[in-house]
Amino acid sequence: MADLSINFAGIKSPNPFWLASAPPTNMGSMVERAFDAGWGGAVWKTLGEPITNVSSRLAGLDSGTNRLIGLNNIELITDRSLDVNLKEIAACKKKYPNHAVIASLMVESKKEAWQEITKKTQDTGCDGFELNFGCPHGMSERGMGAAMGQVPEYTCMVTEWVKEVSNIPVIVKLTPNVTHIVPPGHAAQRGGADAVSLINTINSVIGVDIDTMIPYPNVNGMAAHGGYCGTAVKPIALNMVSELARDEEFNIPISGIGGINTWRDAVEFMLLGAGNVQVCTAVMHYGYRIVEDMIDGLNNYLVDKGFASVNDIVGKSVGRMTDWGNLDLNYDVKARVNKEKCIQCNLCYVACEDGAHQSFVFEEVDGKKYPLVIEKECVGCNLCYLVCPSPGAIEMVRVDAGGPTQSWRERMGEH
Protein backbone atom coordinates (compact mmCIF):
# COMPACT_ATOMS: atom_id res chain seq x y z
CA MET A 1 0.00 0.00 0.00
CA ALA A 2 1.44 3.35 -1.01
CA ASP A 3 1.19 6.40 1.24
CA LEU A 4 -1.62 8.58 -0.17
CA SER A 5 -1.53 11.20 2.58
CA ILE A 6 -0.56 14.75 1.68
CA ASN A 7 0.45 17.98 3.34
CA PHE A 8 -0.80 20.62 0.93
CA ALA A 9 0.47 24.08 1.88
CA GLY A 10 0.32 23.06 5.54
CA ILE A 11 -3.08 21.35 5.25
CA LYS A 12 -3.01 17.62 5.94
CA SER A 13 -5.45 15.11 4.51
CA PRO A 14 -5.51 11.30 4.25
CA ASN A 15 -5.49 11.39 0.45
CA PRO A 16 -5.19 13.98 -2.34
CA PHE A 17 -8.87 13.81 -3.35
CA TRP A 18 -10.86 16.87 -2.24
CA LEU A 19 -14.35 17.94 -3.17
CA ALA A 20 -14.39 21.32 -4.89
CA SER A 21 -16.51 24.19 -3.62
CA ALA A 22 -19.88 23.54 -5.27
CA PRO A 23 -23.28 21.90 -4.64
CA PRO A 24 -21.70 18.62 -3.31
CA THR A 25 -20.30 20.64 -0.35
CA ASN A 26 -23.39 22.71 0.33
CA MET A 27 -23.94 21.60 3.94
CA GLY A 28 -22.49 19.63 6.80
CA SER A 29 -24.49 16.45 6.30
CA MET A 30 -23.27 16.24 2.69
CA VAL A 31 -19.60 16.79 3.55
CA GLU A 32 -19.81 14.20 6.34
CA ARG A 33 -21.26 11.60 3.94
CA ALA A 34 -18.45 12.42 1.52
CA PHE A 35 -15.80 11.89 4.19
CA ASP A 36 -17.44 8.57 5.10
CA ALA A 37 -17.19 7.57 1.44
CA GLY A 38 -13.45 8.28 1.44
CA TRP A 39 -12.82 11.86 0.33
CA GLY A 40 -9.75 13.34 1.98
CA GLY A 41 -10.94 16.94 2.05
CA ALA A 42 -13.72 19.29 1.07
CA VAL A 43 -13.88 22.93 0.10
CA TRP A 44 -17.18 24.25 1.49
CA LYS A 45 -19.61 25.88 -0.93
CA THR A 46 -18.61 29.54 -1.03
CA LEU A 47 -19.64 31.60 2.02
CA GLY A 48 -20.73 35.23 1.82
CA GLU A 49 -23.84 37.28 2.05
CA PRO A 50 -26.66 34.76 1.33
CA ILE A 51 -28.09 35.18 -2.17
CA THR A 52 -31.29 34.22 -3.98
CA ASN A 53 -30.79 31.75 -6.81
CA VAL A 54 -32.86 31.39 -9.98
CA SER A 55 -34.57 28.27 -11.30
CA SER A 56 -33.47 26.55 -13.51
CA ARG A 57 -29.67 26.64 -13.08
CA LEU A 58 -27.93 23.81 -14.96
CA ALA A 59 -27.57 22.71 -18.58
CA GLY A 60 -25.56 19.85 -20.05
CA LEU A 61 -23.58 18.97 -23.17
CA ASP A 62 -23.88 15.38 -24.42
CA SER A 63 -21.77 13.54 -26.99
CA GLY A 64 -23.77 10.78 -28.62
CA THR A 65 -24.82 8.43 -25.83
CA ASN A 66 -22.34 9.95 -23.39
CA ARG A 67 -24.34 12.25 -21.12
CA LEU A 68 -22.96 15.37 -19.55
CA ILE A 69 -19.44 15.59 -20.95
CA GLY A 70 -19.82 19.28 -20.13
CA LEU A 71 -21.92 21.08 -17.53
CA ASN A 72 -22.99 24.72 -17.54
CA ASN A 73 -24.32 26.35 -14.37
CA ILE A 74 -25.63 29.70 -13.27
CA GLU A 75 -25.92 28.81 -9.58
CA LEU A 76 -24.32 31.34 -7.25
CA ILE A 77 -22.70 31.02 -3.82
CA THR A 78 -24.46 29.64 -0.75
CA ASP A 79 -28.06 30.67 -0.19
CA ARG A 80 -27.87 29.66 3.48
CA SER A 81 -27.00 32.01 6.34
CA LEU A 82 -23.39 32.49 7.38
CA ASP A 83 -24.15 31.49 10.97
CA VAL A 84 -25.68 28.16 9.93
CA ASN A 85 -22.74 27.37 7.66
CA LEU A 86 -20.19 28.25 10.36
CA LYS A 87 -21.88 26.02 12.94
CA GLU A 88 -21.88 23.11 10.50
CA ILE A 89 -18.22 23.66 9.53
CA ALA A 90 -17.23 23.62 13.21
CA ALA A 91 -19.24 20.46 13.86
CA CYS A 92 -17.84 18.73 10.77
CA LYS A 93 -14.24 19.56 11.63
CA LYS A 94 -14.73 18.36 15.21
CA LYS A 95 -16.18 15.06 13.97
CA TYR A 96 -13.51 14.55 11.26
CA PRO A 97 -10.30 16.03 12.72
CA ASN A 98 -8.03 14.21 10.26
CA HIS A 99 -9.83 15.41 7.13
CA ALA A 100 -9.23 18.75 5.42
CA VAL A 101 -12.08 21.24 5.74
CA ILE A 102 -11.54 24.37 3.69
CA ALA A 103 -13.83 27.40 3.74
CA SER A 104 -14.39 29.16 0.42
CA LEU A 105 -15.01 32.89 0.81
CA MET A 106 -16.43 35.65 -1.41
CA VAL A 107 -17.63 39.07 -0.27
CA GLU A 108 -17.74 42.57 -1.70
CA SER A 109 -14.43 44.26 -2.45
CA LYS A 110 -14.00 46.02 0.89
CA LYS A 111 -11.18 45.33 3.32
CA GLU A 112 -13.54 45.35 6.30
CA ALA A 113 -15.85 42.78 4.71
CA TRP A 114 -13.04 40.36 3.79
CA GLN A 115 -11.35 40.61 7.18
CA GLU A 116 -14.61 40.25 9.11
CA ILE A 117 -15.64 37.02 7.36
CA THR A 118 -12.09 35.68 7.62
CA LYS A 119 -12.02 36.18 11.41
CA LYS A 120 -15.50 34.72 11.90
CA THR A 121 -14.78 31.68 9.76
CA GLN A 122 -11.41 30.72 11.16
CA ASP A 123 -13.01 30.43 14.62
CA THR A 124 -14.73 27.27 13.30
CA GLY A 125 -11.42 25.42 13.35
CA CYS A 126 -11.36 24.96 9.58
CA ASP A 127 -7.99 24.07 8.08
CA GLY A 128 -7.71 26.80 5.46
CA PHE A 129 -9.40 29.33 3.23
CA GLU A 130 -10.00 29.34 -0.49
CA LEU A 131 -10.63 32.84 -1.88
CA ASN A 132 -13.10 32.55 -4.74
CA PHE A 133 -11.73 34.85 -7.45
CA GLY A 134 -12.98 32.55 -10.18
CA CYS A 135 -16.77 32.35 -10.39
CA PRO A 136 -17.59 33.88 -13.82
CA HIS A 137 -21.35 34.35 -13.64
CA GLY A 138 -23.76 36.34 -11.52
CA MET A 139 -21.43 37.33 -8.71
CA SER A 140 -18.98 38.83 -11.21
CA GLU A 141 -21.75 41.25 -12.25
CA ARG A 142 -21.61 42.49 -8.63
CA GLY A 143 -17.85 43.06 -8.77
CA MET A 144 -16.93 39.74 -7.11
CA GLY A 145 -15.57 36.35 -8.27
CA ALA A 146 -13.94 36.50 -11.69
CA ALA A 147 -14.24 40.30 -11.69
CA MET A 148 -11.55 40.22 -9.00
CA GLY A 149 -9.51 37.41 -10.48
CA GLN A 150 -9.22 39.04 -13.89
CA VAL A 151 -7.33 42.01 -12.42
CA PRO A 152 -4.00 40.89 -10.92
CA GLU A 153 -3.75 44.04 -8.77
CA TYR A 154 -7.11 43.22 -7.13
CA THR A 155 -6.10 39.58 -6.64
CA CYS A 156 -2.94 40.68 -4.84
CA MET A 157 -4.73 43.34 -2.78
CA VAL A 158 -7.52 41.13 -1.43
CA THR A 159 -5.10 38.29 -0.72
CA GLU A 160 -3.04 40.71 1.37
CA TRP A 161 -6.17 41.78 3.29
CA VAL A 162 -7.02 38.18 4.17
CA LYS A 163 -3.44 37.24 5.04
CA GLU A 164 -3.27 40.15 7.51
CA VAL A 165 -5.85 38.45 9.76
CA SER A 166 -5.70 34.79 8.81
CA ASN A 167 -3.96 32.29 11.08
CA ILE A 168 -4.41 29.40 8.65
CA PRO A 169 -3.29 28.72 5.04
CA VAL A 170 -4.89 30.77 2.26
CA ILE A 171 -5.51 29.28 -1.19
CA VAL A 172 -6.45 31.62 -4.06
CA LYS A 173 -8.82 30.11 -6.63
CA LEU A 174 -7.94 31.49 -10.07
CA THR A 175 -10.26 32.17 -12.97
CA PRO A 176 -9.51 30.62 -16.38
CA ASN A 177 -11.27 33.53 -18.07
CA VAL A 178 -8.00 35.33 -18.77
CA THR A 179 -5.58 35.36 -21.69
CA HIS A 180 -2.61 34.16 -19.65
CA ILE A 181 -2.82 32.39 -16.27
CA VAL A 182 0.68 33.28 -15.06
CA PRO A 183 0.10 36.98 -14.15
CA PRO A 184 -2.87 36.16 -11.84
CA GLY A 185 -0.80 33.36 -10.31
CA HIS A 186 2.07 35.73 -9.66
CA ALA A 187 -0.38 38.25 -8.14
CA ALA A 188 -1.71 35.65 -5.70
CA GLN A 189 1.82 34.68 -4.72
CA ARG A 190 2.80 38.34 -4.33
CA GLY A 191 -0.18 38.87 -2.04
CA GLY A 192 1.08 36.13 0.25
CA ALA A 193 -1.10 33.21 -0.83
CA ASP A 194 0.05 29.85 0.48
CA ALA A 195 -1.26 28.08 -2.63
CA VAL A 196 -3.52 28.50 -5.66
CA SER A 197 -6.30 26.34 -7.06
CA LEU A 198 -7.39 26.19 -10.69
CA ILE A 199 -9.36 26.19 -12.81
CA ASN A 200 -12.74 27.62 -11.91
CA THR A 201 -15.48 27.44 -14.53
CA ILE A 202 -15.28 28.95 -18.02
CA ASN A 203 -17.66 31.54 -19.49
CA SER A 204 -20.10 29.69 -21.72
CA VAL A 205 -23.48 29.33 -23.40
CA ILE A 206 -24.24 25.60 -23.60
CA GLY A 207 -26.75 25.75 -26.46
CA VAL A 208 -30.15 26.82 -27.74
CA ASP A 209 -33.47 24.96 -27.87
CA ILE A 210 -34.06 25.20 -31.62
CA ASP A 211 -37.82 24.71 -31.23
CA THR A 212 -38.42 27.50 -28.71
CA MET A 213 -35.25 29.41 -29.72
CA ILE A 214 -34.49 29.97 -26.04
CA PRO A 215 -30.90 29.32 -24.89
CA TYR A 216 -30.23 26.97 -21.97
CA PRO A 217 -30.85 27.03 -19.05
CA ASN A 218 -34.27 28.55 -19.58
CA VAL A 219 -35.26 31.01 -16.83
CA ASN A 220 -38.76 32.06 -17.78
CA GLY A 221 -37.85 32.53 -21.43
CA MET A 222 -34.45 34.13 -20.86
CA ALA A 223 -30.90 32.87 -20.28
CA ALA A 224 -27.54 34.17 -19.07
CA HIS A 225 -23.99 32.98 -19.66
CA GLY A 226 -22.80 30.46 -17.11
CA GLY A 227 -19.73 28.61 -15.89
CA TYR A 228 -18.60 25.58 -17.92
CA CYS A 229 -17.04 22.54 -16.26
CA GLY A 230 -16.77 18.77 -16.52
CA THR A 231 -14.79 16.40 -18.73
CA ALA A 232 -14.67 18.85 -21.64
CA VAL A 233 -12.58 21.42 -19.76
CA LYS A 234 -9.82 19.04 -18.62
CA PRO A 235 -7.32 19.91 -21.42
CA ILE A 236 -7.70 23.62 -20.65
CA ALA A 237 -7.15 23.00 -16.96
CA LEU A 238 -4.09 20.81 -17.57
CA ASN A 239 -2.54 23.52 -19.71
CA MET A 240 -3.07 26.21 -17.08
CA VAL A 241 -1.74 24.02 -14.26
CA SER A 242 1.36 23.18 -16.29
CA GLU A 243 1.87 26.84 -17.30
CA LEU A 244 2.14 27.82 -13.65
CA ALA A 245 4.09 24.73 -12.62
CA ARG A 246 6.85 25.38 -15.14
CA ASP A 247 7.09 29.11 -14.48
CA GLU A 248 10.45 29.72 -12.79
CA GLU A 249 9.15 32.55 -10.59
CA PHE A 250 6.07 30.69 -9.36
CA ASN A 251 6.85 28.53 -6.33
CA ILE A 252 3.70 27.87 -4.25
CA PRO A 253 1.58 24.68 -4.38
CA ILE A 254 -1.17 24.13 -6.96
CA SER A 255 -4.51 22.40 -6.39
CA GLY A 256 -5.71 21.01 -9.72
CA ILE A 257 -9.37 21.29 -10.76
CA GLY A 258 -11.21 20.67 -14.03
CA GLY A 259 -12.71 17.56 -15.60
CA ILE A 260 -11.31 15.02 -13.12
CA ASN A 261 -13.40 11.85 -13.31
CA THR A 262 -10.96 9.05 -12.54
CA TRP A 263 -7.68 8.28 -10.79
CA ARG A 264 -5.98 8.55 -14.19
CA ASP A 265 -7.16 12.14 -14.52
CA ALA A 266 -5.83 12.87 -11.05
CA VAL A 267 -2.44 11.36 -11.87
CA GLU A 268 -2.18 13.52 -14.99
CA PHE A 269 -2.83 16.68 -12.97
CA MET A 270 -0.27 15.67 -10.35
CA LEU A 271 2.37 14.76 -12.93
CA LEU A 272 1.95 18.26 -14.36
CA GLY A 273 2.47 19.90 -10.99
CA ALA A 274 -0.71 19.71 -8.88
CA GLY A 275 -0.13 18.80 -5.23
CA ASN A 276 -3.71 17.56 -4.92
CA VAL A 277 -6.95 17.59 -6.94
CA GLN A 278 -10.48 18.85 -6.44
CA VAL A 279 -13.52 17.19 -8.02
CA CYS A 280 -17.06 18.44 -8.59
CA THR A 281 -18.93 17.57 -11.81
CA ALA A 282 -18.14 13.85 -11.68
CA VAL A 283 -19.62 13.70 -8.16
CA MET A 284 -22.70 15.62 -9.32
CA HIS A 285 -23.09 12.95 -12.03
CA TYR A 286 -22.13 9.73 -10.25
CA GLY A 287 -22.10 10.46 -6.50
CA TYR A 288 -19.53 10.49 -3.69
CA ARG A 289 -18.58 6.80 -4.04
CA ILE A 290 -16.49 7.39 -7.18
CA VAL A 291 -13.68 8.18 -4.77
CA GLU A 292 -13.39 4.47 -3.92
CA ASP A 293 -12.12 3.66 -7.42
CA MET A 294 -9.95 6.79 -7.37
CA ILE A 295 -8.18 5.65 -4.18
CA ASP A 296 -7.75 2.05 -5.36
CA GLY A 297 -6.56 3.09 -8.81
CA LEU A 298 -4.07 5.64 -7.52
CA ASN A 299 -2.65 3.19 -4.99
CA ASN A 300 -2.25 0.45 -7.62
CA TYR A 301 -0.57 2.89 -10.01
CA LEU A 302 1.93 4.03 -7.38
CA VAL A 303 2.76 0.44 -6.35
CA ASP A 304 3.15 -0.65 -9.98
CA LYS A 305 5.47 2.29 -10.69
CA GLY A 306 7.47 1.76 -7.50
CA PHE A 307 6.53 5.01 -5.76
CA ALA A 308 6.19 4.89 -1.98
CA SER A 309 4.18 8.09 -1.71
CA VAL A 310 1.75 10.03 -3.89
CA ASN A 311 3.90 13.09 -3.28
CA ASP A 312 6.69 11.42 -5.29
CA ILE A 313 4.83 11.91 -8.59
CA VAL A 314 4.02 15.63 -8.19
CA GLY A 315 5.60 17.54 -11.08
CA LYS A 316 7.26 14.50 -12.71
CA SER A 317 6.08 15.63 -16.17
CA VAL A 318 6.64 19.37 -15.77
CA GLY A 319 10.07 19.15 -17.38
CA ARG A 320 8.48 17.49 -20.43
CA MET A 321 6.52 20.66 -21.24
CA THR A 322 8.19 23.41 -23.24
CA ASP A 323 7.47 26.06 -25.87
CA TRP A 324 6.85 24.90 -29.46
CA GLY A 325 10.06 26.59 -30.57
CA ASN A 326 12.10 24.17 -28.47
CA LEU A 327 10.64 20.97 -29.98
CA ASP A 328 12.85 18.70 -32.12
CA LEU A 329 12.24 19.28 -35.84
CA ASN A 330 14.23 16.14 -36.72
CA TYR A 331 11.90 13.75 -34.87
CA ASP A 332 9.81 11.91 -37.52
CA VAL A 333 6.93 9.44 -37.17
CA LYS A 334 4.82 7.76 -39.87
CA ALA A 335 1.55 5.85 -39.80
CA ARG A 336 1.54 2.10 -40.41
CA VAL A 337 -1.55 -0.06 -41.02
CA ASN A 338 -1.87 -3.48 -39.38
CA LYS A 339 -4.06 -5.45 -41.80
CA GLU A 340 -4.79 -8.15 -39.21
CA LYS A 341 -6.62 -5.59 -37.06
CA CYS A 342 -7.99 -3.35 -39.81
CA ILE A 343 -11.79 -3.58 -40.16
CA GLN A 344 -11.76 -1.81 -43.57
CA CYS A 345 -14.01 1.03 -42.41
CA ASN A 346 -11.80 3.46 -44.38
CA LEU A 347 -12.18 6.25 -41.81
CA CYS A 348 -8.40 6.76 -41.91
CA TYR A 349 -8.54 7.29 -45.68
CA VAL A 350 -11.45 9.75 -45.47
CA ALA A 351 -9.91 11.73 -42.60
CA CYS A 352 -6.52 11.94 -44.30
CA GLU A 353 -7.95 12.73 -47.73
CA ASP A 354 -10.31 15.49 -46.59
CA GLY A 355 -8.73 16.65 -43.34
CA ALA A 356 -5.01 16.12 -43.57
CA HIS A 357 -2.31 15.37 -46.17
CA GLN A 358 -3.69 12.82 -48.69
CA SER A 359 -1.28 10.10 -47.61
CA PHE A 360 -3.41 6.98 -48.20
CA VAL A 361 -4.13 4.76 -51.21
CA PHE A 362 -5.71 1.31 -51.25
CA GLU A 363 -4.09 -2.05 -51.88
CA GLU A 364 -5.93 -5.28 -52.59
CA VAL A 365 -5.02 -8.38 -50.60
CA ASP A 366 -6.89 -11.65 -51.05
CA GLY A 367 -9.77 -9.81 -52.67
CA LYS A 368 -10.05 -7.23 -49.87
CA LYS A 369 -9.09 -3.55 -50.07
CA TYR A 370 -6.93 -2.17 -47.26
CA PRO A 371 -5.64 1.38 -46.71
CA LEU A 372 -1.93 1.78 -47.41
CA VAL A 373 0.20 4.72 -46.22
CA ILE A 374 2.25 6.64 -48.81
CA GLU A 375 5.18 7.18 -46.48
CA LYS A 376 6.74 10.11 -48.33
CA GLU A 377 3.43 12.01 -48.06
CA CYS A 378 2.72 11.16 -44.40
CA VAL A 379 3.66 13.99 -42.02
CA GLY A 380 2.99 12.01 -38.85
CA CYS A 381 0.07 14.17 -37.72
CA ASN A 382 -1.69 11.26 -35.90
CA LEU A 383 -5.16 12.01 -37.36
CA CYS A 384 -5.65 8.52 -38.87
CA TYR A 385 -4.59 6.94 -35.59
CA LEU A 386 -7.01 9.15 -33.65
CA VAL A 387 -10.08 8.39 -35.80
CA CYS A 388 -9.41 4.64 -36.15
CA PRO A 389 -12.08 2.67 -34.22
CA SER A 390 -10.05 -0.58 -34.18
CA PRO A 391 -7.32 -0.62 -31.48
CA GLY A 392 -3.95 -1.55 -32.92
CA ALA A 393 -4.98 -1.23 -36.57
CA ILE A 394 -2.86 1.90 -36.99
CA GLU A 395 0.34 2.66 -35.13
CA MET A 396 2.68 5.61 -35.34
CA VAL A 397 6.25 4.46 -35.91
CA ARG A 398 9.41 6.50 -35.48
CA VAL A 399 11.38 6.47 -38.75
CA ASP A 400 14.16 9.02 -38.24
CA ALA A 401 17.64 7.77 -37.42
CA GLY A 402 17.61 9.24 -33.90
CA GLY A 403 20.48 11.58 -34.70
CA PRO A 404 21.17 15.12 -33.42
CA THR A 405 18.14 17.19 -32.47
CA GLN A 406 17.39 20.64 -33.84
CA SER A 407 14.67 23.01 -32.66
CA TRP A 408 13.18 25.93 -34.56
CA ARG A 409 15.03 28.33 -32.27
CA GLU A 410 18.32 26.54 -32.94
CA ARG A 411 17.64 26.61 -36.68
CA MET A 412 17.00 30.35 -36.49
CA GLY A 413 20.20 30.86 -34.53
CA GLU A 414 18.48 31.83 -31.28
CA HIS A 415 20.59 29.38 -29.25
Side-chain angles (χ1 to χ4, degrees), residues 246 321-329 405-410 414-415:
R246 70 187 182 95
M321 291 295 297
T322 186
D323 295 336
W324 189 95
N326 296 325
L327 297 177
D328 182 12
L329 297 174
T405 64
Q406 184 183 49
S407 70
W408 172 256
R409 286 183 173 146
E410 289 170 334
E414 295 182 13
H415 289 297

Short mmCIF file of all heavy atoms in Angstrom, two decimals, residues 246 321-329 405-410 414-415:
data_model
loop_
_atom_site.label_atom_id
_atom_site.label_comp_id
_atom_site.label_asym_id
_atom_site.label_seq_id
_atom_site.Cartn_x
_atom_site.Cartn_y
_atom_site.Cartn_z
N ARG A 246 5.53 25.25 -14.51
CA ARG A 246 6.85 25.38 -15.14
C ARG A 246 7.37 26.81 -15.17
O ARG A 246 8.43 27.08 -15.72
CB ARG A 246 6.85 24.78 -16.54
CG ARG A 246 6.07 25.51 -17.61
CD ARG A 246 6.04 24.68 -18.88
NE ARG A 246 5.35 25.34 -19.99
CZ ARG A 246 5.95 26.04 -20.94
NH1 ARG A 246 7.27 26.18 -20.91
NH2 ARG A 246 5.27 26.59 -21.91
N MET A 321 7.26 19.60 -20.56
CA MET A 321 6.52 20.66 -21.24
C MET A 321 7.48 21.80 -21.59
O MET A 321 8.32 22.19 -20.79
CB MET A 321 5.39 21.20 -20.33
CG MET A 321 4.26 20.23 -20.09
SD MET A 321 3.32 19.83 -21.58
CE MET A 321 2.65 21.44 -22.01
N THR A 322 7.33 22.31 -22.80
CA THR A 322 8.19 23.41 -23.24
C THR A 322 7.43 24.24 -24.27
O THR A 322 6.29 23.95 -24.60
CB THR A 322 9.51 22.87 -23.84
OG1 THR A 322 10.38 23.97 -24.12
CG2 THR A 322 9.25 22.09 -25.11
N ASP A 323 8.06 25.28 -24.78
CA ASP A 323 7.47 26.06 -25.87
C ASP A 323 7.67 25.32 -27.19
O ASP A 323 8.64 24.56 -27.36
CB ASP A 323 8.13 27.44 -25.95
CG ASP A 323 7.85 28.28 -24.70
OD1 ASP A 323 6.84 28.00 -24.03
OD2 ASP A 323 8.66 29.17 -24.41
N TRP A 324 6.78 25.58 -28.16
CA TRP A 324 6.85 24.90 -29.46
C TRP A 324 8.23 25.10 -30.09
O TRP A 324 8.78 24.19 -30.71
CB TRP A 324 5.76 25.44 -30.39
CG TRP A 324 5.63 24.67 -31.67
CD1 TRP A 324 4.77 23.65 -31.93
CD2 TRP A 324 6.42 24.85 -32.87
NE1 TRP A 324 4.96 23.18 -33.20
CE2 TRP A 324 5.97 23.89 -33.81
CE3 TRP A 324 7.45 25.71 -33.22
CZ2 TRP A 324 6.52 23.79 -35.09
CZ3 TRP A 324 8.02 25.60 -34.50
CH2 TRP A 324 7.54 24.65 -35.41
N GLY A 325 8.78 26.27 -29.93
CA GLY A 325 10.06 26.59 -30.57
C GLY A 325 11.23 25.77 -30.07
O GLY A 325 12.32 25.81 -30.67
N ASN A 326 11.02 25.02 -29.00
CA ASN A 326 12.10 24.17 -28.47
C ASN A 326 11.94 22.70 -28.87
O ASN A 326 12.77 21.87 -28.50
CB ASN A 326 12.12 24.25 -26.94
CG ASN A 326 12.46 25.65 -26.45
OD1 ASN A 326 13.25 26.36 -27.07
ND2 ASN A 326 11.85 26.06 -25.36
N LEU A 327 10.86 22.37 -29.59
CA LEU A 327 10.64 20.97 -29.98
C LEU A 327 11.60 20.55 -31.11
O LEU A 327 12.03 21.38 -31.91
CB LEU A 327 9.18 20.79 -30.45
CG LEU A 327 8.11 21.05 -29.38
CD1 LEU A 327 6.72 20.91 -29.99
CD2 LEU A 327 8.27 20.11 -28.18
N ASP A 328 11.88 19.25 -31.17
CA ASP A 328 12.85 18.70 -32.12
C ASP A 328 12.24 18.58 -33.52
O ASP A 328 11.34 17.75 -33.74
CB ASP A 328 13.32 17.33 -31.62
CG ASP A 328 14.38 16.72 -32.53
OD1 ASP A 328 14.91 17.44 -33.41
OD2 ASP A 328 14.66 15.52 -32.36
N LEU A 329 12.74 19.34 -34.46
CA LEU A 329 12.24 19.28 -35.84
C LEU A 329 12.70 18.02 -36.56
O LEU A 329 12.15 17.67 -37.62
CB LEU A 329 12.71 20.52 -36.61
CG LEU A 329 12.19 21.87 -36.11
CD1 LEU A 329 12.84 23.01 -36.88
CD2 LEU A 329 10.68 21.96 -36.21
N THR A 405 19.40 16.44 -32.47
CA THR A 405 18.14 17.19 -32.47
C THR A 405 18.38 18.61 -32.97
O THR A 405 19.50 19.12 -32.91
CB THR A 405 17.53 17.25 -31.06
OG1 THR A 405 18.41 17.98 -30.21
CG2 THR A 405 17.34 15.84 -30.51
N GLN A 406 17.31 19.23 -33.45
CA GLN A 406 17.39 20.64 -33.84
C GLN A 406 16.01 21.28 -33.67
O GLN A 406 15.04 20.83 -34.27
CB GLN A 406 17.86 20.81 -35.29
CG GLN A 406 18.04 22.29 -35.65
CD GLN A 406 18.44 22.50 -37.09
OE1 GLN A 406 17.81 21.95 -37.99
NE2 GLN A 406 19.48 23.29 -37.31
N SER A 407 15.93 22.31 -32.86
CA SER A 407 14.67 23.01 -32.66
C SER A 407 14.56 24.18 -33.64
O SER A 407 15.54 24.55 -34.30
CB SER A 407 14.59 23.54 -31.23
OG SER A 407 15.52 24.60 -31.05
N TRP A 408 13.37 24.75 -33.71
CA TRP A 408 13.18 25.93 -34.56
C TRP A 408 14.09 27.07 -34.09
O TRP A 408 14.69 27.77 -34.91
CB TRP A 408 11.72 26.37 -34.51
CG TRP A 408 11.46 27.68 -35.19
CD1 TRP A 408 11.23 28.88 -34.62
CD2 TRP A 408 11.43 27.92 -36.61
NE1 TRP A 408 11.06 29.86 -35.55
CE2 TRP A 408 11.17 29.29 -36.80
CE3 TRP A 408 11.60 27.10 -37.73
CZ2 TRP A 408 11.08 29.87 -38.05
CZ3 TRP A 408 11.50 27.67 -38.99
CH2 TRP A 408 11.25 29.03 -39.15
N ARG A 409 14.19 27.24 -32.78
CA ARG A 409 15.03 28.33 -32.27
C ARG A 409 16.50 28.09 -32.62
O ARG A 409 17.23 29.03 -32.94
CB ARG A 409 14.84 28.46 -30.76
CG ARG A 409 13.50 29.10 -30.41
CD ARG A 409 13.31 29.30 -28.93
NE ARG A 409 12.09 30.06 -28.70
CZ ARG A 409 11.28 29.91 -27.68
NH1 ARG A 409 11.58 29.01 -26.75
NH2 ARG A 409 10.20 30.64 -27.54
N GLU A 410 16.93 26.83 -32.55
CA GLU A 410 18.32 26.54 -32.94
C GLU A 410 18.52 26.79 -34.42
O GLU A 410 19.54 27.34 -34.84
CB GLU A 410 18.65 25.09 -32.60
CG GLU A 410 18.77 24.83 -31.10
CD GLU A 410 18.84 23.36 -30.75
OE1 GLU A 410 18.32 22.52 -31.54
OE2 GLU A 410 19.38 23.02 -29.68
N GLU A 414 18.81 31.18 -32.55
CA GLU A 414 18.48 31.83 -31.28
C GLU A 414 19.20 31.18 -30.11
O GLU A 414 19.13 31.67 -29.00
CB GLU A 414 16.96 31.80 -31.06
CG GLU A 414 16.18 32.60 -32.09
CD GLU A 414 14.69 32.61 -31.82
OE1 GLU A 414 14.29 32.20 -30.71
OE2 GLU A 414 13.93 33.02 -32.72
N HIS A 415 19.82 30.01 -30.33
CA HIS A 415 20.59 29.38 -29.25
C HIS A 415 22.04 29.26 -29.67
O HIS A 415 22.34 29.05 -30.81
CB HIS A 415 20.03 27.98 -28.94
CG HIS A 415 18.70 28.04 -28.26
ND1 HIS A 415 18.51 28.60 -27.02
CD2 HIS A 415 17.48 27.63 -28.68
CE1 HIS A 415 17.23 28.50 -26.69
NE2 HIS A 415 16.59 27.93 -27.68
#
